[in-house]
């Protein structure tokens, strides 16, 4: 993909003039309280990065202090070399040892289940007892240690990859921290993904142990997660990869354990275990392994512009140093200040890793975890939770905010949201209307909004307002994080003047950056460091794959991806991923998928599909709605419900260049119903294909 005009810049028509000053008070005193202070610190952090990052690393607990802050042989960074530490120790044990064992680390609320309580009218949506669990730092230490011993008992040790596929329950956090404790890496897979996605990731990561749960609760339904895992185990086996052990948490208890399997029973070559059977009688003491700074902490798969998801590698010390800092500064975290932080993201995404779990616990602030939907049992569910728990910082996605807008102002108005001090958004650009609604109806015009721009690959926030210091503008993620040298450049790596659209790059390494794509060096180098470089020295820059512009005040306005990756409801999907799923259906000859702007979801998925006439004939099928529904179901089964196409259009042929590349830009125009195709079509092999597609539209 390339930028779309001859100067190598991207035009941007969005203009927004409103500016909101930070309020005087936040949840406790502000860590940074003025723009001057931000500017001074940011300048220092990029002019003398090693001194700056050394100070941040001092905040972590080390078993052995590092010798060198940074070794940078682009694109390879080694941070805090020579040091050893443990992520779980930094999140849990150090707080217990410092006398904070009785503080609540985690509050969990689930969907209401069970019979309605008698003391409330049964017609009320909230007539059932809420399911709430609280874990202190001490309890967390015990649970994590016990499960760490369980994993050890299965032979898991340093360097192994444990696959985790669970709902949003405390045991998910326990399982991740238990891996970190014993030096294993976790690979968490979002609970909405299908069996194929799990097996593909387990095979890529060479992971032999899977931790899951019998089910997850969603809108009163049970998602049968362990059954999906069994399917994945069998799929992996058919590809020659054997998963040795599957540990199943009993959570929804929709089936009796004895009816499902007995611990130790073998299914498709994997031994099945109930979590509670393995944990019974196991010691709750387990030492934290001393890990090298650069030991892999976790793998997290993300979509790329080619078919296969990429296993993004994050390592221990750099990730921890970066995430503790960004969490502390962006959300103004302060322990012992009555803060209760709620990030609504699933832990299956990077947002959950960094800002449900690691960033919060390292800062010794209580994190709230919610298992369930925003509209169950009613559409004011989030506001109900904020009111009851007195949430102080709330972090969600623009797609959710747009949905809340649609559901109506009266829902948040029914609730006391006065505990809120900071609001955050993440995952995609937020449109100014949604920003204003969030500010008014959730923040009551009193809370700063931190629009945090970052990626799975960056580990933590790279552009965001710091809430006590940086005035905000609706729709802008404002300024670079301390220590981040972010710029907007053209293809030659030259920094562009204000208001010129270009490519968002980061010129220098930072501790939270990815260290690789698991098992694929070439992809790591070419995707992230192969396109942009310093025009003077030739040193590669990190390329985000996002288009952006910077305004006259130095504020960033992210315009979205410039590669074949689309954001649907804040979830990243490679167009190729959906296309591969479509062509794996026997009826499909070719498929092309594009993103089309959508009011709520940000983008909708439009798929152009050409069918195999022989198959239709042989199976007495037609290019009709029933086949469309079947294809949608097929994608859902292959990738997960989040990848379902919104629109499928059958086409006799797809527009291609003479070299055979599908012309997505044209399809995007066709899908968006653009009146006249103004794009350059000189390389198009056969224009009649496009004319035909547009005729079909009428
Ligand atoms: O396009 C940008 C968009 O999300 C992409 C990263 O997606 P993912 O790795 O799934 O991580 C999402 C959570 C950090 C980016 O390349 N994006 C994320 N946050 C913003 C954003 N676009 C605009 N504004 C944001 N605040």
């Amino acid at each position: 993909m390339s930028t779309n005009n001859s100067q190598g810049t991207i035009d941007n028509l969005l203009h927004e003039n409103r500016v909101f000053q930070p309020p005087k008070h936040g949840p406790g005193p502000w860590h940074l309280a003025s723009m001057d202070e931000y500017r001074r610190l940011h300048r220092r952090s990029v002019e003398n990065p090693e001194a700056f990052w050394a100070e941040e690393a001092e905040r972590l607990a080390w078993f052995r202090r590092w010798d060198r802050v940074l070794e940078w042989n682009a694109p390879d960074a080694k941070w805090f070399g020579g040091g050893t530490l443990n992520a779980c120790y930094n999140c849990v044990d150090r707080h217990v040892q410092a006398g904070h064992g009785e503080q609540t680390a985690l509050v969990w609320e689930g969907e209401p289940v069970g019979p309605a309580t008698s003391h409330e009218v049964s017609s009320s949506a909230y007539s059932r007892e809420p399911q709430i669990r609280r874990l202190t730092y001490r309890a967390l230490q015990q649970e994590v240690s016990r499960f760490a011993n369980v994993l050890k008992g299965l032979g898991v040790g340093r360097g192994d990859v444990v696959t985790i596929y669970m709902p949003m329950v405390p045991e998910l956090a326990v399982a991740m921290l238990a891996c970190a404790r014993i030096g294993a890496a976790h690979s968490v897979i979002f609970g909405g993904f299908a069996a194929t996605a799990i097996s593909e990731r387990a095979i890529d990561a060479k992971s032999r142990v899977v931790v899951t749960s019998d089910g997850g609760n969603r809108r009163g339904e049970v998602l049968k997660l362990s059954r999906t895992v069994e399917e994945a185990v069998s799929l992996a086996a058919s590809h020659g990869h054997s998963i040795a052990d599957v540990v199943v948490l009993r959570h929804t208890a929709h089936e009796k354990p004895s009816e499902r399997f007995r611990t130790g029973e073998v299914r498709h070559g994997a031994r099945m275990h109930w979590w509670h059977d393995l944990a019974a009688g196991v010691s709750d003491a387990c030492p934290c392994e001393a890990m090298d700074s650069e030991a892999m902490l976790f793998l997290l798969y993300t979509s790329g512009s080619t078919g296969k998801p990429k296993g993004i590698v994050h390592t221990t010390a750099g990730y921890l140093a970066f995430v503790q800092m960004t969490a502390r500064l962006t959300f103004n975290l302060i322990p012992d200040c009555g803060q209760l932080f709620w990030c609504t993201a699933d832990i299956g995404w990077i947002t959950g890793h960094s800002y449900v779990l690691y960033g919060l616990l390292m800062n010794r602030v209580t994190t709230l975890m919610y298992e369930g939907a925003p509209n169950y049992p009613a559409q004011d569910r989030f506001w109900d939770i904020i009111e009851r728990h007195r949430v102080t910082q709330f972090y969600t996605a623009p797609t959710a905010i747009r949905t809340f807008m649609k559901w109506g102002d009266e829902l948040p108005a029914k609730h006391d949201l006065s505990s809120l001090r900071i609001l955050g958004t993440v995952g995609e650009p937020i449109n100014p209307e949604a920003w204003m609604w969030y500010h008014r109806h959730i923040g009551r015009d009193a809370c700063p909004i931190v629009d945090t721009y970052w990626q799975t690959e960056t580990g933590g926030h790279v552009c965001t307002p710091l809430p006590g210091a940086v005035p905000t503008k609706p729709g802008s993620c404002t300024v670079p994080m301390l220590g981040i040298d972010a710029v907007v450049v053209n293809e030659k790596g030259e920094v562009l003047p204000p208001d010129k659209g270009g490519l968002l790059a980061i010129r220098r390494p930072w501790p939270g950056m990815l260290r690789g794509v698991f098992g694929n060096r070439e992809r790591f180098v070419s995707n992230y460091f192969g396109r942009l470089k310093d025009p003077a020295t030739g040193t590669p820059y990190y390329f985000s794959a996002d288009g952006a512009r910077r305004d006259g005040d130095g504020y960033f306005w992210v315009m979205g991806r410039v590669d074949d990756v689309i954001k649907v409801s804040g979830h990243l999907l490679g167009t190729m991923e959906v296309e591969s799923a479509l062509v794996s259906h026997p009826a499909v000859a070719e498929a092309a998928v594009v993103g089309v702007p959508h009011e709520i979801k940000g983008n909708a998925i439009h798929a152009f599909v050409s069918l195999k006439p022989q198959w239709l004939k042989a199976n007495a099928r037609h290019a009709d709605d029933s086949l469309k529904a079947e294809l949608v179901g097929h994608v859902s089964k292959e990738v997960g419900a989040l990848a379902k196409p919104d629109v499928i259009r059958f086409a006799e042929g797809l527009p291609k260049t003479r070299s055979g590349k599908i012309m997505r830009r044209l399809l995007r125009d066709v899908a968006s119903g653009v009146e006249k195709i103004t794009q350059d079509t000189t390389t198009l092999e056969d224009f009649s294909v496009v004319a035909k597609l547009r005729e079909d539209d009428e």
Side-chain angles (χ1 to χ4, degrees), residues 302 350-351 425-429 451-457 544 546 558 560-561 567 572:
T302 184
I350 189 69
T351 306
T425 77
V426 56
E428 54 183 316
D451 174 354
T452 61
Y453 165 79
W454 58 299
Q455 307 177 302
T456 305
E457 294 86 343
S544 64
D546 281 308
V558 176
R561 307 285 299 198
K567 271 271 163 160
L572 209 55

Side-chain angles (χ1 to χ4, degrees), residues 16 18 20 374 379-384 386 394 396-415 417 420 423-425 430-449 472-475 599-600:
E16 171 60 55
R18 286 170 287 204
F20 293 82
Q379 288 175 337
D380 63 343
R381 178 64 167 161
F382 279 13
W383 325 128
D384 159 66
I386 291 173
F394 177 66
T396 196
T399 187
I401 298 167
R402 290 190 291 265
T403 307
F404 300 142
M405 280 173 81
K406 199 178 83 185
W407 287 345
D409 308 349
E410 58 291 355
L411 296 176
K414 279 200 313 203
H415 293 274
L417 304 179
L420 290 172
L423 302 178
T425 77
I430 179 164
N431 46 313
E433 294 68 33
W435 195 103
M436 288 304 303
W437 186 88
Y438 198 29
H439 192 255
R440 166 116 341 126
H441 296 279
I442 310 304
R444 311 156 332 276
D445 295 327
C447 299
I449 295 180
T472 50
K473 303 183 188 183
E599 204 189 337
I600 306 280

Side-chain angles (χ1 to χ4, degrees), residues 612-624:
K612 291 182 191 151
Q614 328 80 288
W615 186 90
L616 293 179
K617 209 163 152 212
N619 292 278
R621 295 288 301 268
H622 301 281
D624 56 13

Side-chain angles (χ1 to χ4, degrees), residues 10 58 124 331 399 417 454 505 511 543 545 565 606 624 650 655 668:
I10 301 169
E58 296 285 1
S124 157
F331 303 118
T399 187
L417 304 179
W454 58 299
F543 175 45
V565 164
H606 282 231
D624 56 13
F650 293 126
R668 225 168 276 143

